[in-house]
Amino acid sequence: MSDEQETALKVENLSLWYGAKQALNNINLAVPRHRITALIGPSGCGKSTLLRCFNRMNDLIDDCRVEGDIHLNQQSILTAAQDLPALRRRVGMVFQRPNPFPKTIYENVVYGLRLQGVRDRRVLDEAVERALRAAALWAEVKDNLWQNALMLSSGQQQRLVIARAIAIEPEVLLLDEPTSALDPISTLVIEELMSTLKQHFTLILVTHNMQQAARVSDYTAFMHQGSVVEFGETDDLFTAPRQRRTEDYITGRFG
């Protein structure tokens, strides 16, 4: 398989400004398909900004300007003609704090499918079971699908949000510090879940937790002051970093 076919997202000379403030500086990155890529670095280094470029959430911010390009499966996503709802179906996102809708568990999972016009109850039922199984939640909620999702624990809510994101079968799943608001046990469940999800999706994880990056990711990009300082296989980056700044960060000398 060629490098192009192995790459889910390719970032080329990407820079971004919020007004006069430059937040990303000439980023080049090839995100491997069906792997977990972690973005690490100190607060304010551009991790979440870069993540939001992949589904163009930064478009919602006034005075945001982007140069360079991003290709999703070899197609540019930064063109003016890009259909943003279609892009966000292909690139799902899970945020820091669980954000289920104040609806039933069932209606949370099928929300995106209903937006796409899916009405067949059998199709919806199958999608709910498939997504909840994939999110390791089916066994816990299968008898309470019509319960309000807000009654679930925080860890269950975050898995429900993941089920909602994957129900529409995106190609890429963005995870913006998905466990930072969770207890250690719920965090472990989500981390184990990520390892199974990469069989079907490409995952990009923003995390402040370097131990988490080391545990779950296949590749890691270390970012500092809006630039990617170093990118490579996670084991290599943590055990034998090539850049002094990377070594200083992962050994706790700054950050």
Side-chain angles (χ1 to χ4, degrees):
M1 191 175 285
S2 72
D3 287 347
E4 289 290 327
Q5 290 170 308
E6 291 283 3
T7 299
L9 277 161
K10 189 169 187 179
V11 184
E12 297 177 317
N13 305 317
L14 185 74
S15 294
L16 180 145
W17 291 260
Y18 297 127
K21 176 178 167 44
Q22 186 166 6
L24 298 176
N25 181 30
N26 197 39
I27 288 177
N28 290 277
L29 196 64
V31 177
R33 188 185 313 280
H34 293 310
R35 296 291 183 270
I36 302 173
T37 297
L39 306 179
I40 66 170
S43 295
C45 71
K47 304 184 296 294
S48 292
T49 296
L50 177 59
L51 195 75
R52 291 194 298 266
C53 288
F54 297 139
N55 63 356
R56 288 189 49 180
M57 291 290 283
N58 290 313
D59 286 29
L60 303 173
I61 299 171
D62 291 339
D63 289 336
C64 180
R65 179 169 63 88
V66 178
E67 292 180 358
D69 210 348
I70 300 173
H71 288 84
L72 172 59
N73 291 326
Q74 303 173 49
Q75 297 177 321
S76 174
I77 66 170
L78 296 186
T79 64
Q82 174 65 56
D83 179 337
L84 294 184
L87 172 65
R88 290 166 188 156
R89 286 194 292 272
R90 297 176 66 194
V91 184
M93 190 161 190
V94 175
F95 296 93
Q96 190 168 354
R97 294 192 172 276
N99 62 341
F101 302 132
K103 298 172 177 283
T104 65
I105 294 168
Y106 185 99
E107 287 300 329
N108 265 271
V109 178
V110 301
Y111 184 81
L113 295 168
R114 290 199 189 280
L115 286 180
Q116 292 179 20
V118 178
R119 295 289 179 266
D120 187 312
R121 183 58 184 265
R122 183 180 58 81
V123 172
L124 294 175
D125 287 350
E126 289 174 356
V128 167
E129 181 171 351
R130 183 173 62 248
L132 289 172
R133 283 188 184 280
L137 191 57
W138 175 252
E140 295 166 49
V141 303
K142 63 182 181 180
D143 297 323
N144 299 296
L145 294 177
W146 301 104
Q147 172 185 317
N148 190 309
L150 300 180
M151 301 294 289
L152 297 173
S153 71
S154 293
Q156 289 174 320
Q157 286 184 17
Q158 194 66 308
R159 280 182 283 150
L160 176 62
V161 170
I162 291 171
R164 186 177 71 199
I166 63 179
I168 57 174
E169 300 185 346
E171 297 161 48
V172 178
L173 189 60
L174 310 177
L175 302 157
D176 194 357
E177 296 193 64
T179 63
S180 64
L182 303 181
D183 63 81
I185 293 174
S186 297
T187 294
L188 182 61
V189 172
I190 298 283
E191 288 182 357
E192 291 174 346
L193 175 56
M194 289 184 220
S195 297
T196 61
L197 289 175
K198 72 179 181 183
Q199 298 171 37
H200 306 287
F201 312 99
T202 299
L203 276 66
I204 307 176
L205 167 70
V206 164
T207 180
H208 271 106
N209 185 329
M210 283 186 287
Q211 290 76 24
Q212 180 173 77
R215 283 193 300 267
V216 306
S217 69
D218 303 291
Y219 291 83
T220 296
F222 167 58
M223 297 184 66
H224 187 230
Q225 296 180 340
S227 299
V228 172
V229 175
E230 186 167 348
F231 175 66
E233 293 190 23
T234 296
D235 288 348
D236 294 340
L237 187 135
F238 276 94
T239 58
R242 299 186 303 274
Q243 301 293 329
R244 179 62 185 269
R245 275 189 293 171
T246 311
E247 182 177 356
D248 286 350
Y249 181 71
I250 63 179
T251 56
R253 291 194 184 97
F254 80 92

